[in-house]
């Protein structure tokens, strides 16, 4: 029994459908992420990490100021400050500035202690107070470090509890900002931001509830 002949319109319609399917398949296989969009996402992530590094460095400096103003809190605050400095490095920043600030605060304390030592019975003048160039240089360095430490400590509340509360508020506010910022970041940067935000929330708890 012979098969009915295909009409020319039917053949043409099938050809068009096959061509359309082939074009769609080719478009699906050849589609790739837009390089410009990927570059924009990377630059936004880089900017976010740089900003996060600066924020952590400023927070570490605040810890340094509180420790300088309230030495009795040093044992409690130094581990938290050390972790904040690790956050600076994790975001690609340099923690050297904050570390040098801490060293300056320690140096100024040592300089103040040595300056209060009375002259010996022989009337000898301490080398740091002598007119030698090295004594003048060390005196100038100690003076600038002391001035820097004093400027930072002057903004710290005199009440230790109020100083701790201020640190806790700074930690909490920064953690909240980072929790919002991570929503606009790609995978690795978002995970890092989430981890550091969680650490900040823990710090805020330790600064308020942990000492009770």
């Amino acid at each position: 029994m012979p098969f009915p002949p295909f009409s020319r319109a039917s053949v043409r319609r099938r050809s068009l459908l096959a061509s359309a399917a082939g074009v769609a398949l080719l478009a699906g296989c050849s589609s790739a992420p837009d390089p410009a969009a990927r570059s924009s996402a990377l630059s936004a992530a880089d900017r976010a990490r740089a900003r996060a590094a600066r924020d952590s460095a400023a927070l570490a400096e605040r810890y340094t100021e509180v420790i300088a103003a309230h030495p009795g809190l040093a044992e409690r605050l130094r581990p938290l400050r050390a972790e904040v400095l690790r956050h600076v490095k994790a975001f690609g920043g340099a923690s050297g500035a904050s570390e040098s600030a801490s060293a300056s605060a320690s140096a100024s304390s040592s300089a103040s202690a040595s300056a209060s030592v009375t002259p010996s019975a022989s009337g000898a003048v301490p080398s740091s107070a002598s007119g030698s160039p090295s004594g003048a240089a060390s005196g100038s360095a100690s003076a600038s470090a002391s001035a820097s430490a004093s400027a930072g400590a002057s903004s710290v509340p005199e009440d230790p509890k109020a100083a701790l509360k201020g640190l806790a508020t700074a930690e909490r506010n920064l953690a909240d900002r980072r929790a919002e910022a991570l929503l606009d970041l790609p995978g690795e940067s978002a995970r890092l931001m989430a981890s550091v935000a969680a650490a900040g929330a823990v710090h805020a708890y330790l600064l308020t509830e942990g000492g009770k």
Side-chain angles (χ1 to χ4, degrees):
M1 178 178 181
F3 292 98
F6 292 102
S7 66
R8 184 174 300 177
S10 176
V11 173
R12 185 180 302 168
R13 186 165 54 251
R14 292 183 181 183
S15 299
L16 290 174
L17 290 175
S19 300
V23 171
L25 179 61
L26 180 61
C29 294
S30 62
S31 63
D34 184 4
R38 184 168 60 250
S39 175
S40 176
L42 288 176
S43 62
D46 290 340
R47 290 194 299 271
R49 290 169 75 107
R51 183 169 58 251
R54 292 193 299 270
D55 290 342
S56 289
L59 183 60
E61 179 64 23
R62 187 161 183 172
Y63 271 96
T64 300
E65 293 170 359
V66 173
I67 291 173
H70 302 287
L73 299 175
E75 184 177 355
R76 181 177 176 182
L77 297 182
R78 278 174 183 155
L80 301 181
R81 179 182 175 277
E83 188 168 4
V84 172
L85 289 176
R86 286 194 291 271
H87 295 164
V88 176
K89 294 180 180 179
F91 284 121
S95 59
S98 297
E99 290 173 349
S100 63
S102 178
S104 297
S106 299
S108 64
S109 299
S110 300
S112 299
S114 62
S116 63
V117 176
T118 56
S120 62
S122 60
V125 179
S127 59
S128 61
S130 64
S132 63
S134 60
S138 62
S140 176
S142 298
S144 61
S146 178
S148 176
S150 299
S154 63
S155 61
V156 177
E158 295 183 1
D159 182 12
K161 290 184 178 181
L164 289 176
K165 184 177 180 181
L167 277 176
T169 300
E171 286 273 20
R172 190 177 297 107
N173 290 342
L174 185 54
D176 290 343
R177 292 201 304 272
R178 286 170 170 170
E180 294 179 2
L182 69 87
L183 300 177
D184 299 324
L185 297 178
E188 182 181 354
S189 295
R191 287 190 293 271
L192 175 60
M193 192 74 75
S195 176
V196 175
V202 172
H203 289 184
Y205 172 82
L206 293 176
L207 290 167
T208 53
E209 305 294 332
K212 292 183 179 180

